[in-house]
């Protein structure tokens, strides 16, 4: 499994930061998937966070790990509208099947086109890698 996925799942809740004009916007997320070795997140295309990612695809995510370290994922996202990818996302996050349906046109999944992951401990960056 992709190490970025393992770290984000270990944090259980992670926070996605986007920008709206010059204002940062942050919200909690809890679902992530690995599809074709890429890191995926989901949202609804009628939410502000989706619109913000379309306008500026540079995002960051951060979550606290159980051992007190924390993880930051930053990079550029893009939309994947393939039905197969949506099915796989829901299969990896079955609790979302009560919220989203594959055929729902507002169900949006995005993946990191490029990015970096950093794991921080009490003394700073302990690990860094590309996704």
């Amino acid at each position: 499994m992709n190490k970025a996925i393992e770290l984000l799942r270990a944090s259980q809740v992670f926070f996605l930061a986007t920008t709206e004009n010059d204002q940062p916007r942050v919200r909690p997320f809890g679902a992530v998937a690995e599809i074709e070795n890429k890191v995926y997140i989901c949202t609804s295309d009628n939410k502000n966070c989706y619109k913000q990612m379309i306008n500026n695809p540079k995002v960051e995510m951060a979550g606290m790990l159980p051992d007190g370290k924390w993880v930051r994922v930053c990079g550029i996202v893009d939309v994947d509208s393939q039905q197969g990818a949506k099915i796989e996302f829901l299969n990896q996050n079955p609790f979302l099947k009560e919220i989203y349906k594959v055929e729902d046109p507002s169900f949006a999944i995005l993946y990191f086109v490029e990015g970096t992951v950093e794991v921080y401990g009490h003394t700073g960056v302990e690990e860094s890698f590309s996704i």
Side-chain angles (χ1 to χ4, degrees):
M1 177 182 293
N2 183 310
K3 183 152 187 184
I5 299 291
E6 289 178 11
L7 291 166
L8 291 168
R9 286 186 178 157
S11 71
Q12 296 183 0
V13 174
F14 50 92
F15 294 85
L16 172 74
T18 60
T19 55
E20 182 176 51
N21 300 317
D22 66 344
Q23 180 65 44
R25 300 291 182 192
V26 180
R27 75 276 298 152
F29 272 59
V32 64
E34 177 183 1
I35 304 170
E36 297 181 2
N37 298 318
K38 295 182 179 119
V39 176
Y40 276 73
I41 57 173
C42 82
T43 189
S44 179
D45 72 358
N46 58 11
K47 291 183 178 179
N48 286 337
C49 69
Y50 177 83
K51 295 169 190 165
Q52 292 156 5
M53 288 186 282
I54 296 303
N55 288 332
N56 180 355
K58 294 179 182 178
V59 301
E60 290 196 7
M61 299 188 300
M64 183 67 74
L65 300 170
D67 63 2
K69 296 178 183 179
W70 61 280
V71 60
R72 177 176 21 208
V73 179
C74 59
I76 297 172
V77 295
D78 195 9
V79 176
D80 185 342
S81 57
Q82 297 178 76
Q83 185 174 12
K86 290 180 177 185
I87 291 168
E88 182 58 26
F89 195 97
L90 292 176
N91 285 341
Q92 291 185 39
N93 297 279
F95 66 95
L96 289 175
K97 291 180 180 181
E98 296 178 21
I99 301 168
Y100 295 114
K101 305 291 182 232
V102 172
E103 59 277 358
D104 179 356
S106 69
F107 175 42
I109 58 173
L110 300 97
Y111 67 96
F112 278 82
V113 175
E114 62 182 64
T116 58
V117 178
E118 296 174 323
V119 179
Y120 290 82
H122 301 294
T123 60
V125 177
E126 294 184 357
E127 184 177 3
S128 179
F129 56 94
S130 296
I131 54 172

